[in-house]
Amino acid sequence: MPEILQNWSSRKLWIIVLGVVVLVAVWRFLSFNVVVQCLPKLPTYSVMPGIGEYPSSDNILLEDAAFSTELKPKLCSEVPVPESYLTLANSPAFIDISQPFTITTGSSVCVRVVVPVAPSNSSVSYSPFPGTPWDSVLLDMVGNSTGVSIPVALQPSNHAQNYIRDKTHIYEADVVLRDADTYIPTGYIEYRNGMWNNEDHIEIPPMAPEQLVVNSLVTVEDNALNDFSLSNYPNLPLCTEPNADGRWVAKDMLPFNTTLAADNYGRVWLPYTCQLQPYTYKEFAQCLQQKHSLIHWFGDSNTRRALKKITTFGQWCSEPNRINSIQCICHDSAENFGVYNSKSSVIPIDINSAMAVSAPALDANLGTVPANNSRIIMFRWGGLTPRNNPPWPNTFAANFTRRMGSPSVAIFGLISWDTAFTARIYFIQQVELLAGHILQSYSSNTKIVIRTGQYYCCTYDQIPNFKRMYTRLRNQYFNQYLIDILQKKLGAAYSISVWDVSQIAERRPYAARKEMALACPSNHVRAELVDVENSLLINHLCN
């Protein structure tokens, strides 16, 4: 009898153990499926540029993505790249996010993109600029609830093969996320094998987007003391620099009222570390009269659009029945505009804040500004390209400041033409020449403002008569080179600031960026965005 009981007890124990194992397995299966079903639904995308949103992604969500971790966030420099990544070939490119998958606001997460080597379909050999990526990868961290879009500034990881053709390439970035949300890494490969740099080739290669496999989400939880929260925004100091990091937020999501200029989707640009004062253009004119009565402004058609807003006191393209016209969206060059002579290379404009009017300046001595006025002298340049007629250096001919005066601010809006029509080596030479002319022409009392070129993405130039070499990475390279060299050459002599209009366009939701790119081959922004761009400059000059 005891032997029978012992056997029965053993069997009973095994039955219990087996039952527990089965229950645990069932629980894990059901739990995982429930978690996956509760994850934000990732969108499906078209693979063709200009249709749908991002080109399609294989959204493979691993189990790890569903659970938070207590691990401390690490920088990419602290997270080794698995050796197995370096030998991958002929497999899909993928996004690798290092743990933890849950962080607090203001923390960073290491994001990597692995692009395995694959056979090239092109018979033409392309090369990137020295030190730049072979592959052009557009990647954003997109907030599922807020819609906040943070670009991932990918750079080659510290491996020699990243700079060699026909190798697996690994790119990485430490991305700071300041808004509480669940973020979905979303993007695609624009070009492989250096094809984003087409300046040595007759034909502009079409963009052929490739999907990225996604294996993780990132959840950002509020800090107890979150200085970046929307509720704290009204407590921030006023913005004094025109390049503060920020994000776009729908007006109806704000816990406060604002009269800030909004884009065509009702979103406002909010910097993280300062607040923008919502100046009217009349208030800006008053500020100019008091602080900056003479400004020199060098630029192209983007400058023309900015000045149309400033000199009409915001009236240009403000009427509801006109806001969606072709002039307000893109092509305004043929538009009749009294104070702007589009055939002249020098366009002086007087602004009277008391009467809220502007008019062409007709003085023989443009450096002398009439009482109660301010004056903006625009020098119409097509970048630093040889397409300028007369050549741009002629602007600084003998007695330049005697003829044009000594301004308190000189704004340089370049890049768009340079990226489209010139080679890197030519641009480098012209930037050196520009730095020399600035040193010879302006005293240290003149503030130098570098206006970035417009952001470009989501398509390629398809107008055969122009063959503009626009690509996202070319624009980034030319922008950064200009900023770096002018700061290096002029930083000891002048106060230099960067008016970063590229950033505010890059951080718009992808659908808005794509819409802008397809609607305007000239790469202008809509009139609503011009107001937002101008608000950065106005706060910089007036706060």
Side-chain angles (χ1 to χ4, degrees):
M1 186 70 174
E3 188 174 349
I4 295 173
L5 288 174
Q6 186 176 2
N7 290 339
W8 168 245
S9 298
S10 298
R11 291 171 184 166
K12 185 176 181 182
L13 178 61
W14 279 110
I15 291 170
I16 293 172
V17 170
L18 182 61
V20 170
V21 169
V22 170
L23 286 173
V24 169
V26 171
W27 176 82
R28 283 180 62 83
F29 175 79
L30 292 175
S31 297
F32 176 69
N33 277 279
V34 168
V35 170
V36 169
Q37 290 172 17
C38 292
L39 286 173
K41 183 180 179 183
L42 298 179
T44 56
Y45 304 113
S46 166
V47 297
M48 293 301 294
I51 303 174
E53 294 201 3
Y54 297 87
S56 64
S57 296
D58 280 346
N59 299 304
I60 301 174
L61 297 175
L62 302 184
E63 186 173 0
D64 287 343
F67 301 97
S68 63
T69 174
E70 299 299 324
L71 295 176
K72 181 181 177 182
K74 292 184 178 181
L75 301 175
C76 289
S77 59
E78 302 171 319
V79 183
V81 174
E83 290 296 321
S84 59
Y85 287 2
L86 300 172
T87 56
L88 291 171
N90 300 320
S91 58
F94 62 92
I95 300 166
D96 179 28
I97 297 181
S98 301
Q99 289 189 2
F101 301 126
T102 297
I103 60 175
T104 55
T105 49
S107 299
S108 67
V109 62
C110 174
V111 179
R112 289 193 172 111
V113 174
V114 181
V115 183
V117 63
S120 174
N121 296 323
S122 175
S123 59
V124 181
S125 179
Y126 295 82
S127 295
F129 297 143
T132 60
W134 277 97
D135 312 296
S136 178
V137 181
L138 187 155
L139 183 63
D140 304 311
M141 298 296 288
V142 181
N144 186 60
S145 299
T146 61
V148 167
S149 181
I150 304 299
V152 181
L154 294 164
Q155 294 295 322
S157 65
N158 189 26
H159 295 85
Q161 73 179 48
N162 281 321
Y163 300 98
I164 302 174
R165 187 192 303 271
D166 296 329
K167 293 286 186 179
T168 291
H169 301 137
I170 300 173
Y171 306 102
E172 63 186 20
D174 295 306
V175 185
V176 179
L177 299 172
R178 300 180 178 92
D179 296 284
D181 206 339
T182 296
Y183 288 83
I184 306 167
T186 317
Y188 56 95
I189 299 173
E190 297 174 303
Y191 295 101
R192 279 181 179 258
N193 303 316
M195 292 179 71
W196 59 267
N197 177 36
N198 47 48
E199 65 181 36
D200 295 327
H201 304 278
I202 297 175
E203 295 299 324
I204 306 297
M207 191 170 68
E210 291 183 45
Q211 62 189 15
L212 296 172
V213 176
V214 180
N215 69 356
S216 306
L217 307 180
V218 177
T219 297
V220 180
E221 297 177 342
D222 252 327
N223 247 327
L225 300 173
N226 181 10
D227 294 336
F228 310 118
S229 67
L230 292 177
S231 58
N232 188 57
Y233 182 79
N235 301 322
L236 296 175
L238 294 180
C239 295
T240 57
E241 292 301 320
N243 63 342
D245 282 353
R247 76 295 210 186
W248 289 93
V249 181
K251 267 192 171 183
D252 57 12
M253 294 182 63
L254 298 177
F256 54 86
N257 295 323
T258 183
T259 57
L260 285 171
D263 73 357
N264 54 310
Y265 289 97
R267 290 180 291 243
V268 293
W269 174 254
L270 300 180
Y272 284 112
T273 56
C274 62
Q275 61 169 310
L276 291 169
Q277 179 78 9
Y279 286 93
T280 65
Y281 282 104
K282 183 172 183 178
E283 289 170 336
F284 179 44
Q286 293 167 344
C287 161
L288 291 183
Q289 180 187 330
Q290 296 164 6
K291 295 184 176 183
H292 305 290
S293 59
L294 179 62
I295 291 177
H296 288 180
W297 195 329
F298 303 80
D300 53 23
S301 52
N302 293 296
T303 293
R304 178 184 69 225
R305 292 169 72 83
L307 285 176
K308 284 186 175 182
K309 280 290 189 180
I310 292 170
T311 58
T312 63
F313 293 82
Q315 292 303 305
W316 179 68
C317 282
S318 63
E319 304 90 344
N321 63 341
R322 188 165 178 255
I323 195 64
N324 290 314
S325 68
I326 189 62
Q327 293 84 4
C328 299
I329 293 175
C330 179
H331 300 294
D332 65 307
S333 59
E335 183 182 45
N336 183 31
F337 190 61
V339 300
Y340 186 97
N341 181 357
S342 60
K343 295 182 180 179
S344 176
S345 59
V346 179
I347 306 161
I349 304 172
D350 283 346
I351 303 172
N352 186 298
S353 61
M355 299 178 65
V357 295
S358 58
L362 302 175
D363 310 54
N365 184 356
L366 293 177
T368 302
V369 182
N372 302 318
N373 277 15
S374 59
R375 176 171 291 172
I376 296 175
I377 304 177
M378 180 190 170
F379 301 90
R380 186 167 59 86
W381 284 4
L384 304 178
T385 70
R387 295 181 174 229
N388 287 293
N389 185 21
W392 71 264
N394 288 16
T395 303
F396 299 103
N399 303 318
F400 172 70
T401 52
R402 185 182 302 174
R403 293 181 291 112
M404 301 297 173
S406 297
S408 60
V409 178
I411 303 172
F412 293 87
L414 306 172
I415 299 302
S416 294
W417 281 59
D418 305 284
T419 304
F421 298 118
T422 61
R424 181 182 71 95
I425 296 301
Y426 180 87
F427 180 68
I428 288 173
Q429 295 168 347
Q430 299 304 298
V431 172
E432 293 281 339
L433 189 59
L434 174 64
H437 280 299
I438 292 173
L439 283 167
Q440 293 173 10
S441 303
Y442 293 119
S443 74
S444 59
N445 294 326
T446 297
K447 174 191 288 289
I448 305 298
V449 177
I450 306 169
R451 183 194 187 277
T452 64
Q454 300 301 137
Y455 174 77
Y456 187 85
C457 84
C458 320
T459 187
Y460 63 99
D461 189 43
Q462 301 175 55
I463 301 178
N465 294 337
F466 284 96
K467 294 185 178 178
R468 290 171 291 201
M469 297 180 288
Y470 287 136
T471 63
R472 187 178 57 87
L473 287 192
R474 276 181 61 85
N475 277 34
Q476 284 185 5
Y477 181 93
F478 277 59
N479 264 331
Q480 197 57 52
Y481 185 85
L482 177 69
I483 292 167
D484 290 346
I485 293 302
L486 291 189
Q487 288 179 333
K488 178 181 177 181
K489 299 282 186 180
L490 309 178
Y494 302 95
S495 170
I496 299 177
S497 56
V498 178
W499 178 14
D500 196 348
V501 300
S502 180
Q503 177 196 190
I504 63 175
E506 183 178 19
R507 295 194 174 210
R508 298 185 79 201
Y510 180 82
R513 283 176 272 160
K514 179 198 63 185
E515 174 190 71
M516 183 169 63
L518 296 178
C520 189
S522 299
N523 205 31
H524 295 149
V525 298
R526 293 178 59 108
E528 299 97 327
L529 266 291
V530 175
D531 281 324
V532 180
E533 292 176 348
N534 283 348
S535 72
L536 304 186
L537 177 68
I538 293 169
N539 274 258
H540 176 52
L541 296 181
C542 299
N543 286 346

